Amino acid sequence: MKLAFWKKSDDTAGQVDFGRLPRHIAVILDGNGRWAQRRGLPRTAGHKVGSETFRTIATYCRDIGIAYLTVYAFSTENWRRPQDEVDTIMSLLKRYLLEAIDTMERDNVRLRFMGDMTPLSVELRELVDRCNAISDRLTGCLCSICINYGGRAEIVHGARAFAKDCVAGAVKPEDLTEEMFENYLYSAGIPSPDLLIRPGGELRLSNFLLWQCAYTEIYVTDVLWPDFSKEELHRAIASYQRRDRRFGGVKR
C-alpha cells in the first residue's frame, strides 16, 4: 500500500480525469474532535459539522459517478469515548437515517451498514433495517457506513461463520479460498476499494477494511474531515490517477 501526501503548494485540483474515476472510494472520517478543539468548541460540535461534510461529499460522489463509497463512521473502539460524544454521534446517525428513508428512492442511493449492529438501540436497528429494505429495490450508488466496525472483528466474524458452515457440513475447510472467504465478510459482494482517503494526517489504517485494502491506494491529507471539500476530493482522485497500480506484478 502506498502513501501520498498533499501539500498546499501542490494544487492538483482540476486535474481529475472524470472518465476514469476509481470505482470504489473509502474514507476514514477523522479529525472532527480536533477541528472543534482548535476552535474552542466541544468535540460534539465537530461531529455535527463532520456529518454535514459527509452529506456533501457523499452526494458529490454520487453525482460524478462513484459506484461505491464506504465510510468509517464509528469503530468498535469508539465506545470508549466520553458518553456525551457517543450520544451525539448516535443522535446524528438517527437523524441521518430518518432523512435517508425519505430520500433514498428519490435519489436512487443505496445504503449498507457494515459492523455489529447489536449494541445499537432498538430504534436505530429498526431504522437500519428500514434503510436496508429500501436499498434492496434500488440500483444506484452504494454508500456503506461502518458502524461499530473493526477490521479484525470482521475477519473473526467471517471465520466463525465459515467454521459454522464446516460443522454443518455445507463446506469443507480445504475448500476455502480467498474469493470464498470474502463472501463471509460484511462487505460481501462489494469490490475492494481502489482509493482510501485519510483526512487528519494520521498514518495508519486504524483497523479499517484490513482485508479489503490489501492493494488499495492510500491518500493522506492534513485537512481535518469537517474542512474536507470537493476540491480536496479532486486532489485525492488526481493523486490516485497518477499511481502505477501493479498489484504485486511488474509493468511490461
Side-chain angles (χ1 to χ4, degrees):
M1 293 177 288
K2 302 176 183 177
L3 296 177
F5 299 90
W6 170 72
K7 304 293 185 182
K8 291 201 174 186
S9 59
D10 299 334
D11 189 2
T12 56
Q15 297 182 14
V16 173
D17 180 353
F18 289 91
R20 56 184 189 94
L21 295 170
R23 185 183 185 195
H24 183 179
I25 294 177
V27 186
I28 297 175
L29 308 185
D30 193 21
N32 291 337
R34 282 177 285 163
W35 181 92
Q37 289 174 332
R38 290 177 185 179
R39 289 159 176 77
L41 301 171
R43 290 174 57 87
T44 53
H47 291 298
K48 291 175 182 178
V49 177
S51 68
E52 294 305 318
T53 301
F54 165 69
R55 296 172 200 272
T56 299
I57 297 301
T59 300
Y60 186 64
C61 284
R62 178 205 66 188
D63 292 344
I64 64 176
I66 301 299
Y68 300 92
L69 174 67
T70 300
V71 298
Y72 201 9
F74 192 84
S75 75
T76 51
E77 293 79 24
N78 286 158
W79 294 106
R80 297 197 292 262
R81 294 187 174 187
Q83 189 60 48
D84 65 327
E85 184 173 347
V86 172
D87 291 343
T88 295
I89 293 171
M90 293 302 154
S91 177
L92 291 169
L93 174 61
K94 175 184 174 181
R95 188 175 74 178
Y96 178 78
L97 291 172
L98 288 170
E99 292 177 1
I101 288 169
D102 289 337
T103 61
M104 288 169 63
E105 290 189 271
R106 181 196 69 194
D107 298 335
N108 194 26
V109 172
R110 296 176 291 159
L111 288 181
R112 181 167 178 172
F113 297 87
M114 293 167 50
D116 179 6
M117 301 293 113
T118 54
L120 302 185
S121 69
V122 172
E123 181 182 27
L124 283 178
R125 293 201 304 271
E126 289 176 349
L127 291 174
V128 166
D129 289 341
R130 289 175 63 185
C131 286
N132 288 336
I134 296 172
S135 295
D136 286 343
R137 56 180 183 265
L138 301 179
T139 59
C141 173
L142 176 60
C143 181
S144 299
I145 303 175
C146 296
I147 299 289
N148 193 35
Y149 172 90
R152 289 180 175 179
E154 178 184 26
I155 293 171
V156 169
H157 174 271
R160 287 173 175 166
F162 176 73
K164 287 181 180 179
D165 281 351
C166 288
V167 171
V171 293
K172 298 178 181 178
E174 57 269 26
D175 294 336
L176 185 63
T177 64
E178 291 184 10
E179 292 75 16
M180 179 189 294
F181 187 67
E182 287 178 350
N183 292 323
Y184 288 92
L185 299 176
Y186 295 132
S187 60
I190 300 176
S192 294
D194 301 295
L195 170 64
L196 169 63
I197 301 173
R198 172 122 204 190
E202 301 292 353
L203 302 179
R204 57 176 177 265
L205 286 175
S206 294
N207 201 19
F208 183 48
L209 300 180
L210 299 181
W211 176 279
Q212 298 87 343
C213 285
Y215 280 101
T216 297
E217 301 294 329
I218 301 177
Y219 178 88
V220 177
T221 173
D222 288 333
V223 174
L224 303 177
W225 176 247
D227 288 329
F228 198 88
S229 63
K230 296 175 184 177
E231 290 73 26
E232 298 299 335
L233 180 64
H234 289 172
R235 292 183 178 96
I237 294 174
S239 174
Y240 164 82
Q241 291 178 337
R242 293 193 298 268
R243 311 288 180 86
D244 179 14
R245 305 191 74 198
R246 299 186 302 276
F247 299 95
V250 295
K251 191 172 183 178
R252 296 182 179 180

